[in-house]
Amino acid sequence: MKQISTSLAPKLKEDTITERDYIVFSGETTKHYLWFQLYDDCYKDGNFIGTFILKRIEFTYNDSDLEFKNKEFNAYKEYKLDNETWESINYGTFVVTNVDPSDTKEEIKVTAYDYGLKFSNTYKTDLDYASGTVTLFQVLQEVCQKVGVELENTSIDNGNFIVDSNQFAEGSLFGNVITAIAQISCNFAKITSENKLKLMLKSESNITIDVSDY
């Protein structure tokens, strides 16, 4: 969750507020001020339960001194407070996937995604499903360990459900596994601003699934 100070909270409710966007390349401290468009939507086909949608940032720039190819950066929005200081909100780390020059302008369009991108590789597992002891939460933990993204949850609904076989066909991605777990636990998955995977919207209905549901 994004943390804001008691000074910024009332400012965000005002009709007008001075703001600006900037990025900082990983391993650096220099702020590069540029306006970006953040796409941060958990819906897919009208649903949000059982989804895992990456956050995306897009922007254009014309500074030839900036190199974005094969780069990661943190994205921030900064707000001006009443005391003339600035407070920023961190949207997390983004990995550049496309750098496209314009055919008609001296501009470069950059597209970058959050660490959900790390889940786009083919699913592989070392879990012994046949043992009859592998839980749904252990499947979730292993996926995060294999892709190198920290898991924020310490438990999920139906996390103790025993998974007795690998349910994923050859060619399935780690992200497909996360989507299925989110659906079974009545959550949606998201990468937080701390670059951790979090399953949100915990169910309060205490619904227990059975094997046929799984």
Side-chain angles (χ1 to χ4, degrees), residues 7 11 18 20 78-87:
S7 298
K11 291 289 292 181
T18 303
R20 58 191 182 186
E78 196 171 42
Y79 298 94
K80 192 174 185 178
L81 305 180
D82 289 335
N83 62 3
E84 300 301 313
T85 62
W86 293 80
E87 180 174 336

Side-chain angles (χ1 to χ4, degrees), residues 162-179:
I162 298 298
V163 184
D164 58 7
S165 63
N166 185 353
Q167 301 289 315
F168 296 91
E170 184 177 352
S172 295
L173 307 179
F174 285 110
N176 298 136
V177 181
I178 297 300
T179 297

Side-chain angles (χ1 to χ4, degrees), residues 87-139:
E87 180 174 336
S88 60
I89 294 177
N90 181 11
Y91 289 111
T93 305
F94 291 79
V95 182
V96 175
T97 57
N98 293 94
V99 180
D100 299 319
S102 171
D103 293 332
T104 58
K105 301 179 181 179
E106 293 182 1
E107 290 182 340
I108 302 293
K109 181 179 179 180
V110 175
T111 303
Y113 290 88
D114 67 16
Y115 272 12
L117 201 64
K118 293 177 178 284
F119 293 82
S120 59
N121 293 319
T122 303
Y123 176 59
K124 297 183 181 352
T125 180
D126 298 319
L127 295 173
D128 183 9
Y129 284 109
S131 68
T133 61
V134 176
T135 66
L136 188 68
F137 190 67
Q138 287 174 324
V139 177

Side-chain angles (χ1 to χ4, degrees), residues 17-198:
I17 183 171
T18 303
E19 62 183 54
R20 58 191 182 186
D21 299 339
Y22 70 89
I23 67 169
V24 177
F25 289 114
S26 296
E28 300 181 8
T29 58
T30 303
K31 297 179 180 179
H32 300 283
Y33 287 93
L34 46 80
W35 290 107
F36 57 72
Q37 181 68 47
L38 174 67
Y39 299 89
D40 185 9
D41 192 353
C42 62
Y43 287 87
K44 183 177 182 181
D45 300 327
N47 300 308
F48 60 91
I49 297 297
T51 63
F52 178 26
I53 300 176
L54 283 61
K55 294 193 297 293
R56 183 175 86 255
I57 274 182
E58 293 180 354
F59 57 85
T60 58
Y61 76 102
N62 53 14
D63 186 344
S64 59
D65 292 332
L66 292 182
E67 176 56 61
F68 282 94
K69 290 183 178 179
N70 303 315
K71 290 288 191 72
E72 295 185 9
F73 59 82
N74 270 59
Y76 301 84
K77 183 171 286 292
E78 196 171 42
Y79 298 94
K80 192 174 185 178
L81 305 180
D82 289 335
N83 62 3
E84 300 301 313
T85 62
W86 293 80
E87 180 174 336
S88 60
I89 294 177
N90 181 11
Y91 289 111
T93 305
F94 291 79
V95 182
V96 175
T97 57
N98 293 94
V99 180
D100 299 319
S102 171
D103 293 332
T104 58
K105 301 179 181 179
E106 293 182 1
E107 290 182 340
I108 302 293
K109 181 179 179 180
V110 175
T111 303
Y113 290 88
D114 67 16
Y115 272 12
L117 201 64
K118 293 177 178 284
F119 293 82
S120 59
N121 293 319
T122 303
Y123 176 59
K124 297 183 181 352
T125 180
D126 298 319
L127 295 173
D128 183 9
Y129 284 109
S131 68
T133 61
V134 176
T135 66
L136 188 68
F137 190 67
Q138 287 174 324
V139 177
L140 175 62
Q141 288 177 308
E142 188 202 36
V143 168
C144 289
Q145 183 271 325
K146 282 189 172 294
V147 304
V149 172
E150 186 177 349
L151 175 64
E152 182 164 317
N153 303 77
T154 57
S155 65
I156 58 172
D157 284 359
N158 293 314
N160 292 324
F161 178 81
I162 298 298
V163 184
D164 58 7
S165 63
N166 185 353
Q167 301 289 315
F168 296 91
E170 184 177 352
S172 295
L173 307 179
F174 285 110
N176 298 136
V177 181
I178 297 300
T179 297
I181 294 173
Q183 185 174 12
I184 294 167
S185 59
C186 199
N187 285 287
F188 66 90
K190 197 171 190 179
I191 300 296
T192 68
S193 58
E194 292 80 28
N195 302 320
K196 299 177 182 180
L197 177 74
K198 183 176 183 180

